[in-house]
Amino acid sequence: MINKTNKKRILLSPPHMSGYEKKYINEAFQTNWIAPLGPNVDAFENEIANYVRAGDAVAVSSGTAAIHLALCLLDVKEGDIVFCSSLTFIASANPIIYQRAVPVFIDSEPDTWNMSPLALEKAFKDAFQEGKLPKAVIVVNLYGQSAKMDEIISICNHYHVPIIEDAAESLGSTYKGKPSGTFGRFGIFSFNGNKIITTSGGGMLISNDTVALKKARFLAAQARDPAPHYQHSKIGYNYRLSNILAGIGRAQLEILDDRVNTRRLIFDRYSQELSELPGISFMPELENTFSNRWLTALTFNGAEITAGELLKALENENIEARPVWKPLHLQPIFKGTRYYSHKENENISEYLFESGICLPSGSNLTEEEQMNVINCIKDTINHFSKERNVIHNEKNLG
Ligand SMILES: *Cc1c(COP(=O)(O)O)cnc(C)c1O
């Protein structure tokens, strides 16, 4: 394979500014609000809360910080158990460890690639029998697709265990018409550089429990007691979002719906061009859900080459594609952690990891760039199938 490294790199999901960001940044400079608080922060919080129809929102320095605060608000502490989706980015589970709590990982199911209600039910039954229920369940909406919320909520309600919805990847998505992120006691969004909208780094904690969110603001600002001197009776964190970055977020939120449309169109083009190829299946969209299609994901189960080899072929063309997240129960740091598979002999997350590929999906991807990705995949798959046919024919002749 020829290495054409002089080609411009096609990135997986780069930032995409609207051009209106500078207006808000300039306002911050003109008023000298260069602080982790200020009018942009207040406005960004209100605008996100309105957008997803949540009671309130707290802007923080990252999605990870938002998950950490949610665990603190639910009083998760040393030795407590927290159930968490296995097929996700490490940031979903790291805050469990910050609290010295114990994660238990739950497999995916095939319809959404997200938390399997079957595996969750099994985990709850065991926990109940052992007399130690989890303090919280962290449910992730992978690549923009909502998990099976009705089923998951009904199981968690049965055991009276609150949900934290990790909607870091699913801002702008809905489940049965209701905005993603609003299904748990707490929801979190991320505005990291690779997400559908970005503040370069940032996050948001949302809830209808406005009293809890008031406490979140307190914890995120070093837990300072209401006294003129600096007095502290609790351990807090320095987790608030800068007023400059919140300004970027406000401009980004204005064009979020456009970004969702564009990412969905990118998905549609990939799907039209590649669905017929042998071994390719696209990530499904569950009925009555609307995915922001943050990343176009597919599984590749080719007879001739592996998903890893297809990724290498893309890399040779300077195209940034990635495997699906490595399941957390397979991560070296979580070795020996309890894990519940979808069915007795069916590990969905492991299958998705082995065969899954995420394609460049940025809303600023040009049609030409996308056709380069598509052609590279077509050429690679056709090349290998031809090669195999030649070998096959030679054998038959020989
Ligand atoms: C990006 C991401 C996070 C973490 O967000 P940061 O803002 O990077 O801390 C958490 N969970 C998932 C599923 C993510 O994709």
Side-chain angles (χ1 to χ4, degrees):
M1 193 134 297
I2 319 152
N3 194 336
K4 296 171 192 154
T5 41
N6 58 337
K7 281 195 176 168
K8 184 169 163 264
R9 188 153 178 80
I10 299 177
L11 295 168
L12 187 72
S13 181
H16 185 187
M17 293 297 107
S18 69
Y20 303 114
E21 289 80 7
K22 282 187 183 152
K23 185 183 91 184
Y24 295 103
I25 296 173
N26 286 343
E27 265 173 35
F29 274 77
Q30 275 153 17
T31 53
N32 205 31
W33 270 109
I34 315 293
L37 282 171
N40 277 336
V41 175
D42 297 343
F44 189 36
E45 290 179 343
N46 284 332
E47 286 155 9
I48 286 275
N50 284 340
Y51 182 86
V52 298
R53 308 195 289 272
D56 199 3
V58 177
V60 289
S61 52
S62 70
T64 312
I67 297 172
H68 189 198
L69 288 172
L71 291 174
C72 293
L73 294 169
L74 293 173
D75 195 33
V76 171
K77 47 186 189 302
E78 184 159 8
D80 286 337
I81 292 170
V82 176
F83 290 173
C84 180
S85 303
S86 187
L87 189 63
T88 180
F89 180 48
I90 193 79
S92 303
N94 272 344
I96 302 171
I97 308 300
Y98 302 165
Q99 290 306 96
R100 299 172 190 274
V102 181
V104 171
F105 293 120
I106 312 292
D107 197 11
S108 301
E109 46 77 21
D111 301 335
T112 67
W113 296 16
N114 289 309
M115 186 177 275
S116 156
L118 279 180
L120 180 66
E121 178 95 62
K122 177 88 172 54
F124 262 114
K125 275 190 179 143
D126 284 1
F128 183 74
Q129 265 175 10
E130 289 160 21
K132 192 167 177 179
L133 287 173
K135 268 275 183 72
V137 177
I138 300 176
V139 182
V140 180
N141 303 313
L142 217 57
Y143 306 130
Q145 170 61 56
S146 286
K148 289 189 171 170
M149 284 303 171
D150 282 350
E151 290 87 340
I152 290 169
I153 289 170
S154 134
I155 296 167
C156 292
N157 282 350
H158 178 79
Y159 291 97
H160 305 288
V161 174
I163 292 172
I164 298 169
E165 191 183 3
D166 180 347
E169 302 176 4
S170 62
L171 179 62
S173 303
T174 59
Y175 175 93
K176 300 194 175 170
K178 194 172 182 287
S180 196
T182 61
F183 288 84
R185 177 86 58 87
F186 297 101
I188 75 98
F189 299 117
S190 164
F191 310 113
N192 191 38
N194 60 346
K195 297 302 195 304
I196 192 153
I197 60 169
T198 181
T199 58
S200 84
M204 196 70 80
L205 176 66
I206 63 163
S207 181
N208 286 330
D209 185 345
T210 51
V211 175
L213 289 194
K214 216 174 147 209
K215 195 172 165 206
R217 285 195 178 88
F218 165 77
L219 290 175
Q222 305 285 25
R224 192 175 151 193
D225 291 340
H229 49 280
Y230 284 79
Q231 178 177 297
H232 304 271
S233 333
K234 270 209 163 88
I235 293 288
Y237 306 91
N238 185 3
Y239 275 170
R240 288 293 258 161
L241 186 67
S242 131
N243 192 55
I244 299 171
L245 301 189
I248 301 178
R250 293 182 70 190
Q252 288 270 289
L253 184 60
E254 286 169 9
I255 43 82
L256 171 61
D257 290 341
D258 270 6
R259 299 296 189 251
V260 172
N261 282 339
T262 307
R263 297 228 184 205
R264 286 182 63 87
L265 287 174
I266 288 169
F267 176 92
D268 289 344
R269 186 175 298 130
Y270 277 130
S271 162
Q272 274 159 26
E273 294 281 344
L274 299 173
S275 283
E276 300 303 312
L277 287 176
I280 284 188
S281 327
F282 281 85
M283 182 179 187
E285 186 174 39
L286 186 72
E287 207 181 323
N288 287 323
T289 69
F290 177 85
S291 170
N292 68 13
R293 293 290 190 193
W294 172 55
L295 294 184
T296 290
L298 55 83
T299 56
F300 177 66
N301 224 329
E304 289 82 19
I305 52 166
T306 63
E309 284 166 320
L310 186 53
L311 281 169
K312 252 184 234 150
L314 288 160
E315 189 52 49
N316 282 339
E317 293 290 312
N318 213 9
I319 294 165
E320 186 192 19
R322 289 283 173 91
V324 161
W325 300 123
K326 178 169 181 154
L328 298 185
H329 72 276
L330 299 178
Q331 293 287 356
I333 49 158
F334 288 127
K335 202 166 173 234
T337 300
R338 222 158 163 185
Y339 161 70
Y340 285 88
S341 61
H342 178 55
K343 287 180 185 165
E344 182 124 5
N345 289 312
E346 229 181 307
N347 273 295
I348 303 297
S349 59
E350 291 182 15
Y351 167 74
L352 293 171
F353 173 56
E354 281 155 22
S355 61
I357 293 178
C358 299
L359 296 176
S361 309
S363 45
N364 42 8
L365 184 76
T366 66
E367 193 169 336
E368 190 190 342
E369 286 173 323
Q370 193 179 1
M371 285 316 294
N372 286 344
V373 179
I374 287 166
N375 289 331
C376 175
I377 294 171
K378 283 183 178 168
D379 290 350
T380 307
I381 291 177
N382 290 335
H383 171 83
F384 276 95
S385 1
K386 253 183 232 143
E387 205 162 73
R388 200 177 83 138
N389 282 340
V390 171
I391 297 167
H392 186 78
N393 289 342
E394 275 169 2
K395 270 193 193 143
N396 282 353
L397 291 171

